[in-house]
């Protein structure tokens, strides 16, 4: 076989340039989508971070599906004194859980997770954003595990109060 002649060379060169340009745009889009983007990331770093992010999203999806199932079970088996259910946190299901007990417009949140800087402040901001008045709070850290118990008075009562609890709990679990 003979090598290609120069006749079709310019079209194949322009096709290759177009392909590279398109690939570079796709890498730029990927880099913009992934959290913690790096300004001078290599293509290998972008692919590695994208794979990590997709796996993280898959874990979150699985956790949310478990939460949905547990919530359906909890609402079907609620007692007259209130509703209690324990849910895994999305970020680190092995070392994290949120227990919630609701009675009228008072909710008790038991949060157990890996301790990290600023987490308590972020949790308190969630309560503040939903105008929940904190009646009591207790914090302890043992071997890097944070246990945070919060009793809060919700501004809404009844089914709307349980809806507010769900929103607060969901936001805490995504911190």
């Amino acid at each position: 076989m003979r090598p290609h002649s120069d006749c079709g060379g310019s079209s194949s060169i322009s096709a290759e340039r177009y392909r590279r340009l398109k690939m570079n745009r796709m890498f730029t889009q990927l880099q913009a989508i992934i959290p913690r983007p790096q300004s001078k990331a290599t293509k290998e770093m972008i692919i590695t971070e994208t794979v990590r992010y997709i796996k993280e999203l898959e874990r979150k999806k699985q956790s949310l599906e478990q939460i949905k199932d547990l919530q359906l079970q909890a609402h079907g088996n609620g007692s007259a004194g209130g509703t209690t259910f324990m849910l895994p946190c999305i970020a680190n299901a092995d070392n994290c859980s949120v227990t919630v007990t609701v009675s009228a417009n008072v909710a008790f949140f038991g949060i157990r997770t890996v301790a990290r800087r600023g987490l308590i402040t972020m949790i308190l901001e969630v309560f503040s954003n939903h105008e929940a008045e904190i009646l009591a709070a207790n914090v302890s850290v043992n071997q890097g595990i944070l246990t945070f118990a919060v009793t809060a008075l919700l501004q809404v009562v009844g089914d709307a109060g349980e809806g507010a609890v769900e929103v607060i709990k969901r936001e805490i679990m995504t911190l």
Side-chain angles (χ1 to χ4, degrees):
M1 288 186 111
R2 244 175 48 173
H4 294 323
S5 66
D6 289 339
C7 301
S10 67
S11 66
S12 65
I13 290 173
S14 92
E16 179 62 18
R17 282 184 186 153
Y18 176 75
R19 185 191 68 78
R20 286 183 185 176
L21 180 64
K22 189 174 174 183
M23 289 294 289
N24 286 334
R25 285 183 187 151
M26 287 185 207
F27 276 106
T28 301
Q29 286 177 344
L30 275 177
Q31 187 175 14
I33 291 171
I34 58 174
R36 300 183 306 267
Q38 299 172 359
S39 60
K40 294 289 185 181
T42 64
K43 290 177 181 178
E44 180 183 354
M45 291 167 63
I46 293 169
I47 295 291
T48 301
E49 280 300 303
T50 301
V51 169
R52 183 201 57 76
Y53 184 54
I54 290 170
K55 288 179 180 180
E56 178 184 327
L57 291 174
E58 287 172 342
R59 281 191 301 274
K60 285 182 180 183
K61 179 184 177 233
Q62 184 178 13
S63 293
L64 288 171
E65 288 171 351
Q66 290 173 346
I67 289 167
K68 180 182 171 186
D69 292 342
L70 289 170
Q71 287 175 342
L72 290 173
Q73 291 173 8
H75 288 294
N77 300 328
S79 63
T83 305
T84 302
F85 37 98
M86 184 171 168
L87 303 168
C89 291
I90 294 172
N92 190 348
D94 294 337
N95 297 319
C96 182
S97 66
V98 175
T99 304
V100 182
T101 302
V102 181
S103 181
N105 62 336
V106 177
F108 170 81
F109 291 79
I111 303 157
R112 187 175 191 283
T113 187
V114 176
R116 64 182 201 271
R117 185 181 201 121
L119 181 60
I120 293 171
T121 302
M122 290 188 290
I123 292 170
L124 292 174
E125 284 176 355
V126 170
F127 285 101
S128 176
N129 291 342
H130 293 282
E131 298 178 1
E133 180 182 346
I134 295 179
L135 302 174
N138 185 15
V139 179
S140 68
V141 177
N142 186 11
Q143 296 181 348
I145 300 296
L146 169 78
T147 303
F148 190 30
V150 177
T151 304
L153 179 65
L154 305 174
Q155 297 301 319
V156 289
V157 294
D159 290 339
E162 286 192 22
V165 168
E166 295 296 320
V167 172
I168 292 169
K169 179 182 59 204
R170 185 173 51 244
E171 289 181 21
I172 289 171
M173 290 188 306
T174 59
L175 294 176

